[in-house]
Amino acid sequence: MNIKSLLLGSAAALVAVSGARAADAVVVAEPEPAEYVRICDVYGAGYFYIPGTETCLKIGGYVRYDASVGSRYNGYDGVWNMDKRTDKWQGTWAKTAKIVLNVDTGQETEYGTLSTHIGIKALNSTSRVDGDLAYIAGGTPGYSTTTNSAGLDSASIKLGGLTIAYQDSIYADWTGYAGAAVNNSFIEYGDYANTNQISYTFDAGNGFSAIVGLEQGYSDTIDSYVPHVVLGAKFTQGWGGISGVVAYNSVQDEFAGKLRADINVNDQFSLFVMGGIGSDKHRGTTDKDAYSYEYKPWSGAWAIWGGGQYKLNEKATLYAEASYDADKDAAASLGVAYELVPGFVIKPELNYTRWGNHAGPSGSSLIGGDGVTVAPKKSGWGGVIRFQRNF
């Protein structure tokens, strides 16, 4: 080996060592292991574990838009006007936009499932009156009224069978309200407005369950230390179910109850019928007056509701409903719920309503814009179309 070869080899070695040391000097941080959200399917679809906890969380709700048209007496508040040229009650339109955001949690404990629910809502409604009415503030023809509101829709804490909540009355919720129609409460079936309440539900695990609850009330808010009392029981199976509920109104010292039967004829066709009865000792002095209270908001001693649904195909469901009470009030609805895409439902609906032995929501005749007393029309047709995105 000569001197030249030795020098070249040494230089190459130094370059290699220097390169290795330079590479060692650059430290590349290892990526942190990704922590993916874990699905929680214990409480149904949409739940996931809050990272670092054993609590499951679900965020959901809906955005809804309704547009209705028809007579004042078709069950849509504010949808009316009087044309003094013809002295006829005519229909006009009303529109409502509503959003509800729900946040639900669930966690298993030694005392059973601990769950919470929070519902926040916001509402905007607009109606138009084209007639000239002194009855309405100023009686200005061709004006619109708009209202906006936002607030707490519902809130609850549940541990096992115990529920402490601000939500729909047990009296309305336990028997499943009154069908799928948008206009299903012309003849009201119970106080579905929110109320403070505490209840305990017993679930036997074989389809039978029962509930006992104490409520503050919404319109008949308790004025003593005695709360409203609600009791209910139900039995559900694959063929359908039977449910019943009774309530004591401590303010009015009145009792009311409802019984409902649901029948699943087959996978496409289902029916329901529900009847309500209540004490009526505060009934008015005339035959045309009918006393109502929080658990018996219908007129007269009894009322009945019924209807059915038929699944036409994967997207469309046809429904029809009707109701009637002891004071000869009547209502009927026919509509289609069409799921255009998953989560987006369009629901056009036709309605007919009739007031029976009393004048209707006004209580008596109204004063027209020309100062002439006019008798309100007791029946009418109307319609509504609903767009709703559920998520």
Side-chain angles (χ1 to χ4, degrees):
M1 179 181 297
N2 54 32
I3 297 298
K4 184 178 180 179
S5 299
L6 181 61
L7 291 174
L8 290 174
S10 300
L14 289 172
V15 170
V17 172
S18 299
R21 289 181 177 175
D24 291 342
V26 179
V27 179
V28 179
E30 292 291 333
E32 292 291 334
E35 184 174 352
Y36 296 98
V37 173
R38 292 185 297 155
I39 301 300
C40 175
D41 55 6
V42 177
Y43 309 109
Y47 282 89
F48 59 90
Y49 285 98
I50 300 175
T53 74
E54 293 302 315
T55 299
C56 299
L57 175 69
K58 177 182 179 180
I59 300 175
Y62 62 82
V63 179
R64 172 189 295 172
Y65 186 87
D66 291 346
S68 57
V69 65
S71 162
R72 181 190 183 196
Y73 297 101
N74 68 355
Y76 302 111
D77 293 338
V79 189
W80 60 287
N81 74 86
M82 192 277 289
D83 185 342
K84 68 177 183 179
R85 295 170 299 179
T86 59
D87 285 339
K88 291 182 179 180
W89 291 93
Q90 299 177 352
T92 181
W93 51 260
K95 299 176 182 178
T96 302
K98 181 180 181 181
I99 61 172
V100 172
L101 179 65
N102 295 320
V103 179
D104 296 275
T105 69
Q107 180 180 349
E108 293 306 307
T109 74
E110 58 184 310
Y111 298 105
T113 302
L114 173 62
S115 63
T116 62
H117 167 79
I118 302 170
I120 305 296
K121 68 178 178 181
L123 181 71
N124 171 277
S125 61
T126 301
S127 60
R128 180 175 176 80
V129 178
D130 290 325
D132 188 334
L133 283 177
Y135 180 75
I136 305 257
T140 306
Y143 69 92
S144 298
T145 59
T146 301
T147 59
N148 284 284
S149 62
L152 181 66
D153 185 61
S154 55
S156 66
I157 301 173
K158 297 182 180 180
L159 179 60
L162 177 67
T163 299
I164 304 170
Y166 170 75
Q167 60 188 18
D168 287 352
S169 170
I170 300 168
Y171 189 76
D173 177 74
W174 185 257
T175 50
Y177 303 92
V182 176
N183 190 27
N184 69 352
S185 58
F186 179 79
I187 297 179
E188 297 185 57
Y189 46 83
D191 188 0
Y192 44 85
N194 287 0
T195 175
N196 293 301
Q197 59 185 265
I198 181 170
S199 66
Y200 185 83
T201 303
F202 169 74
D203 189 347
N206 58 356
F208 175 81
S209 57
I211 190 171
V212 55
L214 306 176
E215 297 186 343
Q216 178 183 354
Y218 176 72
S219 56
D220 295 329
T221 305
I222 56 175
D223 55 1
S224 68
Y225 292 106
V226 181
H228 304 319
V229 182
V230 184
L231 303 173
K234 66 175 64 175
F235 181 71
T236 58
Q237 295 290 312
W239 53 264
I242 298 176
S243 57
V245 62
V246 294
Y248 169 70
N249 186 308
S250 64
V251 174
Q252 305 296 343
D253 191 25
E254 300 270 17
F255 290 88
K258 294 184 299 181
L259 184 65
R260 171 170 173 153
D262 291 270
I263 300 175
N264 299 322
V265 180
N266 51 44
D267 293 339
Q268 288 77 36
F269 188 34
S270 63
L271 298 168
F272 86 92
V273 61
M274 179 171 68
I277 189 170
S279 57
D280 207 16
K281 65 183 181 182
H282 291 289
R283 189 175 176 86
T285 56
T286 67
D287 291 338
K288 293 185 178 181
D289 291 331
Y291 183 79
S292 62
Y293 49 92
E294 195 157 284
Y295 298 117
K296 190 196 73 66
W298 58 84
S299 296
W302 57 267
I304 188 169
W305 304 260
Q309 297 186 64
Y310 184 80
K311 192 173 182 61
L312 300 173
N313 51 50
E314 292 183 357
K315 290 182 175 292
T317 300
L318 177 70
Y319 61 86
E321 296 176 14
S323 54
Y324 189 81
D325 66 25
D327 268 11
K328 299 183 179 180
D329 301 321
S333 299
L334 177 67
V336 176
Y338 187 81
E339 189 172 34
L340 184 63
V341 295
F344 181 40
V345 177
I346 302 174
K347 184 183 286 189
E349 180 177 301
L350 178 67
N351 308 116
Y352 172 78
T353 55
R354 186 194 71 194
W355 292 90
N357 290 332
H358 49 100
S362 63
S364 60
S365 59
L366 300 178
I367 306 299
D370 53 3
V372 177
T373 301
V374 293
K377 186 177 180 180
K378 292 185 178 182
S379 64
W381 291 87
V384 61
I385 184 168
R386 168 170 290 178
F387 303 89
Q388 183 163 319
R389 167 67 165 108
N390 303 307
F391 59 92

